[in-house]
Amino acid sequence: MITHDPTDAAVLADRLVVIENGRMVQTGTPQEVARRPRTDYVARLSGLNLLPGVGVDHGVRLADGSLITVPSPVAGPVFAAFRPSAVALWRTRPDGSPRNVWSVVVRGLEPYGDSVRVELESASDLSFVAEVTPAAVADLGLTIGDRLWATVKASEIEVYPR
């Protein structure tokens, strides 16, 4: 079966072949593809943020040179994946336990079921999505172009080989 609907693919298929820009980028069972996406496109279809980098001890060095903290030691080329719901947004720089803190700009706001997806971009062009409640959008007074702080706890990030 050929489909452009990720829900149809996940529900009906035993095996997926994902084609992006005319080339095959990933194959596997729906569970394998959803759990360990190999491209940003597949990650977004699976509802995840994906950051490629190089594992260095308890961190992943990203292409922009920044280092994100992850829960376990890693080495070599890896992907770091996390759910949009793991991203917390702040008007002022937070202090506390989250190890991964970015200064970001809101690039988009999109209703998503009972929540709102907030598209974010850092000064170094790192882009990812946060998922928050409509009440959080209202409380923070979010609009496109706002400058915020985003955090993700290291324990919310899954790392796997590229």
Side-chain angles (χ1 to χ4, degrees):
M1 177 175 96
I2 297 173
T3 182
H4 291 121
D5 185 325
T7 303
D8 283 350
V11 172
L12 299 173
D14 293 326
R15 186 151 187 81
L16 299 176
V17 175
V18 181
I19 298 173
E20 183 178 349
N21 297 323
R23 68 181 186 85
M24 183 181 66
V25 294
Q26 189 166 356
T27 65
T29 67
Q31 297 80 7
E32 290 167 344
V33 171
R35 221 180 87 233
R36 293 193 163 197
R38 312 292 301 161
T39 70
D40 190 56
Y41 171 72
V42 177
R44 299 281 170 127
L45 287 175
S46 301
L48 295 172
N49 291 298
L50 187 68
L51 304 175
V54 177
V56 181
D57 194 25
H58 277 79
V60 174
R61 177 92 43 214
L62 304 177
D64 68 358
S66 64
L67 186 71
I68 61 170
T69 303
V70 296
S72 304
V74 292
V78 295
F79 287 114
F82 54 94
R83 293 179 327 282
S85 60
V87 180
L89 301 177
W90 310 81
R91 278 284 178 195
T92 58
R93 184 179 176 96
D95 53 355
S97 64
R99 295 290 167 239
N100 301 299
V101 180
W102 297 278
S103 173
V104 295
V105 175
V106 175
R107 294 294 182 215
L109 295 163
E110 182 180 340
Y112 184 77
D114 291 336
S115 58
V116 176
R117 290 234 162 154
V118 184
E119 293 180 39
L120 305 166
E121 185 176 281
S122 73
S124 61
D125 292 330
L126 175 68
S127 63
F128 54 96
V129 175
E131 190 174 304
V132 298
T133 64
V137 171
D139 289 348
L140 290 168
L142 294 184
T143 60
I144 294 173
D146 282 354
R147 295 195 173 279
L148 303 171
W149 292 91
T151 63
V152 176
K153 290 184 175 186
S155 62
E156 295 290 332
I157 300 174
E158 181 181 349
V159 179
Y160 52 94
R162 266 198 279 170

